[in-house]
Amino acid sequence: MGILEDGPNGGFRGKVGSVYGYNLNGKCVIRGARRKSTKPPTPAQLAHREKIKLSSVFCRWIKPIVNFGYQFEETKNSGRGKFQLAQQRVFKNAIDVDATNKPFINLEKVQVFVGELMSPEGVQARWEEGLLKLSWIPNPKYKDSLFKLNLALVSLDREVDLRMAIADAAEGECAVNIPVFEREKFDYHVYIGFWDTYHGAFSNSAYCGVI
């Protein structure tokens, strides 16, 4: 279905009959239907498709975290949802290739929370006395109790875990009970980020390593 823009004599976007309308650099353009290419894909095209698939699968895996961590980013990007924004960021920033040129998700580069606040610095995570102990350098700008710390745990083998407002950002350290760790031990990648609970804003997440 085509949608008229600027009245009946204006351009349109979408499909009308056998043609498509769209806006290109401020100009209304009409084209015919694209023909499916019969040429075999190039290695670069195959690699591009593999990266798109990889980022999509990964973002679906961490979707509960994405829905939380990209909620404020979504409000600034009309037409693109949380999942699409997360997928785009993973595709651009968090995919590397191994020695065989096979793409993989570099979990150190993944940002599970995104926003305009300053990210935590000097972050550390360790498993001690049955608790996940986190530490970071308190930021003087975030000394009000409205600024909280969020925690995300990502494993490629087990379900993800999200903990919201686990401590005041000004505290500089906290200990979190993770019941699943008491039942079985496997690797979790740890991310933390600040949250302005009053104005509704996050920082980009900071990667704390693997526990």
Side-chain angles (χ1 to χ4, degrees), residues 9-57:
N9 295 319
F12 67 92
R13 56 187 172 88
K15 183 180 180 182
V16 176
S18 61
V19 298
Y20 293 80
Y22 60 99
N23 189 287
L24 178 64
N25 299 325
K27 296 182 179 180
C28 296
V29 179
I30 298 175
R31 65 167 175 81
R34 296 187 186 277
R35 295 181 179 179
K36 187 176 181 179
S37 175
T38 58
K39 296 180 180 179
T42 66
Q45 289 173 327
L46 290 172
H48 184 80
R49 294 174 188 176
E50 181 65 22
K51 290 180 180 179
I52 291 177
K53 180 180 178 181
L54 189 62
S55 60
S56 178
V57 170

Side-chain angles (χ1 to χ4, degrees), residues 14-204:
K15 183 180 180 182
V16 176
S18 61
V19 298
Y20 293 80
Y22 60 99
N23 189 287
L24 178 64
N25 299 325
K27 296 182 179 180
C28 296
V29 179
I30 298 175
R31 65 167 175 81
R34 296 187 186 277
R35 295 181 179 179
K36 187 176 181 179
S37 175
T38 58
K39 296 180 180 179
T42 66
Q45 289 173 327
L46 290 172
H48 184 80
R49 294 174 188 176
E50 181 65 22
K51 290 180 180 179
I52 291 177
K53 180 180 178 181
L54 189 62
S55 60
S56 178
V57 170
F58 177 73
C59 288
R60 282 200 299 270
W61 180 253
I62 66 169
K63 191 173 182 179
I65 296 176
V66 164
N67 285 340
F68 177 77
Y70 283 73
Q71 60 181 294
F72 303 125
E73 195 73 4
E74 182 183 40
T75 62
K76 299 184 295 182
N77 291 269
S78 60
R80 289 188 293 172
K82 297 181 282 289
F83 184 88
Q84 288 75 24
L85 291 167
Q87 184 179 2
Q88 181 184 55
R89 188 172 289 247
V90 169
F91 177 84
K92 288 184 175 180
N93 303 326
I95 296 183
D96 288 339
V97 293
D98 61 18
T100 64
N101 212 35
K102 184 177 179 60
F104 68 96
I105 301 292
N106 186 336
L107 289 168
E108 293 186 22
K109 297 180 179 180
V110 171
Q111 290 181 331
V112 295
F113 315 125
V114 291
E116 58 197 32
L117 301 183
M118 295 179 64
S119 300
E121 296 181 341
V123 298
Q124 293 185 353
R126 66 187 187 278
W127 182 248
E128 187 177 294
E129 299 176 352
L131 295 171
L132 172 59
K133 296 191 175 181
L134 303 167
S135 61
W136 62 96
I137 300 173
N139 189 321
K141 293 184 177 180
Y142 305 140
K143 61 183 179 180
D144 192 288
S145 61
L146 294 173
F147 294 97
K148 302 295 184 181
L149 190 81
N150 296 319
L151 164 68
L153 301 171
V154 175
S155 170
L156 297 180
D157 302 312
R158 297 293 190 275
E159 291 184 1
V160 300
D161 198 355
L162 173 66
R163 304 296 177 91
M164 299 166 283
I166 58 175
D168 285 354
E171 292 179 8
E173 61 180 6
C174 69
V176 187
N177 180 36
I178 310 293
V180 69
F181 286 5
E182 299 175 1
R183 299 193 299 269
E184 53 184 320
K185 185 69 176 70
F186 46 85
D187 289 343
Y188 261 122
H189 296 261
V190 183
Y191 306 82
I192 60 175
F194 292 140
W195 179 15
D196 181 344
T197 59
Y198 181 74
H199 295 98
F202 291 145
S203 72
N204 288 347

